[in-house]
Amino acid sequence: MDAKIPKTLLDLAIQSLLRNESIAIQALEDMPRVFFVPLFIAAFEGGHKNILSEMVKVWPYYCLHIGSLTVQEPQHELLKAMIENLPAMKVEVVYSRYNGIVFLIQPSFFTSFLLFSPYRVLPPGLNFLYLTFCDLSHRDFRFLAQSPQVSRLKLLNLSNNPMYWDDFEPFQTLLVNLSGTLRHLEMNHCLINDTAISVLIPALIRCTQLRVLCFASNPITMPMLVTIMNNLTPLKNLKYVIYPIPVHCYGLWPFQGSLDRRKLAIVQLHLKVMLVLAERPDMNWITYLE
């Protein structure tokens, strides 16, 4: 049997700090940077929530990377406490559903957090929320619709999350909740069809502060695109719309090789005329080819 590896002086010092929580917290302000990572690991593995909460407030590095520290259900409260104590508007939080890694990056002008069952946690006072490629579930959308932490969002990006019929009711509720603050909304590549977008239109037209709307690469028909424009042109603050190429422009949607550029040119001309008739020369409707 291998001999037990003796503890180093650093290990002993960290264990001593963890046994006396108040001293550990007081020592954080003057603690050498070299102590932060091993102390954080030991505090996380030992479940020292108060110490972790204070550590994230004074974290001295550009990035806090939790890789091998797998976040299981018992660590849910630890993760929640850490996020709730992040300095407001100074940290970006990204949680990967796939590999259990958390990054805290300073400084930053937005906060993003990936929701995933069962650990739906968001820091308070969010202004910007990026949830791209997150495989959001109906429960995630329902959580967002009910979460006071996102009630003041200015930017919401849900792109590259397939949306299904049950998702649109809570998504509509979320948009209504954000109608007074939301300025930038992205929902590209979400498989939103005519029926789904028609459900969202009543909520979208209530978003009077909206300046940018992106919903490219969704299977929308030309009649629905016309309906969307007719409903959105009265929004005087809305200046930029990134719209999907209508499905009739493709031989087989969404393969770019089957795109009929002549049909697309007719669509673009049609929308341009509509903007003129709506007296919205300040409004830009743009699409892009991938």
Side-chain angles (χ1 to χ4, degrees):
M1 181 180 293
D2 295 336
K4 187 175 182 179
I5 300 175
K7 294 184 182 297
T8 65
L9 289 176
L10 179 59
D11 293 331
L12 294 173
I14 288 174
Q15 289 182 5
S16 177
L17 283 173
L18 294 179
R19 284 195 295 267
N20 196 323
E21 186 176 273
S22 60
I23 292 179
I25 292 174
Q26 291 175 13
L28 291 176
E29 290 289 345
D30 301 315
M31 183 179 293
R33 295 176 65 182
V34 69
F35 278 89
F36 270 81
V37 172
L39 178 60
F40 180 89
I41 293 173
F44 190 90
E45 292 178 340
H48 297 274
K49 181 171 68 174
N50 293 334
I51 294 177
L52 290 171
S53 298
E54 296 301 318
M55 289 192 75
V56 297
K57 295 178 182 179
V58 295
W59 190 253
Y61 297 104
Y62 178 77
C63 178
L64 168 55
H65 175 199
I66 304 178
S68 59
L69 298 179
T70 303
V71 181
Q72 302 293 343
E73 188 166 359
Q75 284 81 38
H76 178 210
E77 290 301 319
L78 298 181
L79 182 61
K80 181 178 180 181
M82 289 165 55
I83 293 171
E84 289 176 345
N85 284 278
L86 294 174
M89 294 306 295
K90 292 184 179 179
V91 183
E92 175 187 352
V93 185
V94 180
Y95 195 98
S96 168
R97 183 189 298 268
Y98 304 104
N99 54 21
I101 296 176
V102 175
F103 298 92
L104 310 182
I105 306 172
Q106 302 158 311
S108 176
F109 297 100
F110 60 87
T111 301
S112 64
F113 191 78
L114 171 60
L115 306 173
F116 66 108
S117 178
Y119 313 120
R120 293 178 176 83
V121 185
L122 286 171
L126 284 176
N127 286 326
F128 305 89
L129 183 59
Y130 293 78
L131 294 171
T132 59
F133 293 101
C134 292
D135 193 22
L136 296 177
S137 68
H138 175 68
R139 294 177 63 188
D140 293 326
F141 281 103
R142 190 173 61 190
F143 170 81
L144 288 170
Q146 298 171 349
S147 174
Q149 290 95 325
V150 300
S151 61
R152 304 294 296 175
L153 284 181
K154 296 179 181 178
L155 183 151
L156 176 62
N157 190 340
L158 299 175
S159 297
N160 295 286
N161 289 290
M163 295 187 189
Y164 304 100
W165 181 248
D166 288 345
D167 300 332
F168 290 103
E169 181 180 353
F171 185 26
Q172 181 188 41
T173 301
L174 174 62
L175 291 177
V176 171
N177 293 343
L178 299 176
S179 60
T181 61
L182 191 63
R183 298 180 183 179
H184 187 125
L185 174 63
E186 295 193 33
M187 44 185 183
N188 307 304
H189 295 276
C190 290
L191 297 180
I192 299 174
N193 59 20
D194 285 8
T195 304
I197 199 72
S198 65
V199 172
L200 298 179
I201 286 176
L204 286 172
I205 62 178
R206 296 179 61 173
C207 296
T208 56
Q209 302 303 310
L210 196 63
R211 294 182 59 85
V212 178
L213 172 64
C214 307
F215 64 113
S217 299
N218 286 296
I220 302 296
T221 67
M222 185 61 188
M224 180 51 66
L225 191 59
V226 170
T227 298
I228 295 169
M229 176 174 274
N230 283 331
N231 279 275
L232 295 183
T233 47
L235 295 178
K236 298 303 182 183
N237 287 318
L238 184 58
K239 306 297 183 182
Y240 297 95
V241 178
I242 312 298
Y243 65 90
I245 298 173
V247 293
H248 80 275
C249 294
Y250 294 94
L252 182 62
W253 186 90
F255 297 104
Q256 292 297 323
S258 67
L259 176 64
D260 187 325
R261 293 178 180 269
R262 185 184 65 84
K263 291 181 179 179
L264 175 58
I266 294 173
V267 169
Q268 293 170 325
L269 179 60
H270 189 161
L271 297 182
K272 184 176 181 179
V273 171
M274 288 183 64
L275 287 176
V276 172
L277 294 176
E279 299 182 348
R280 288 300 308 270
D282 60 323
M283 197 178 200
N284 298 279
W285 280 62
I286 308 162
T287 194
Y288 61 86
L289 302 178
E290 298 180 5

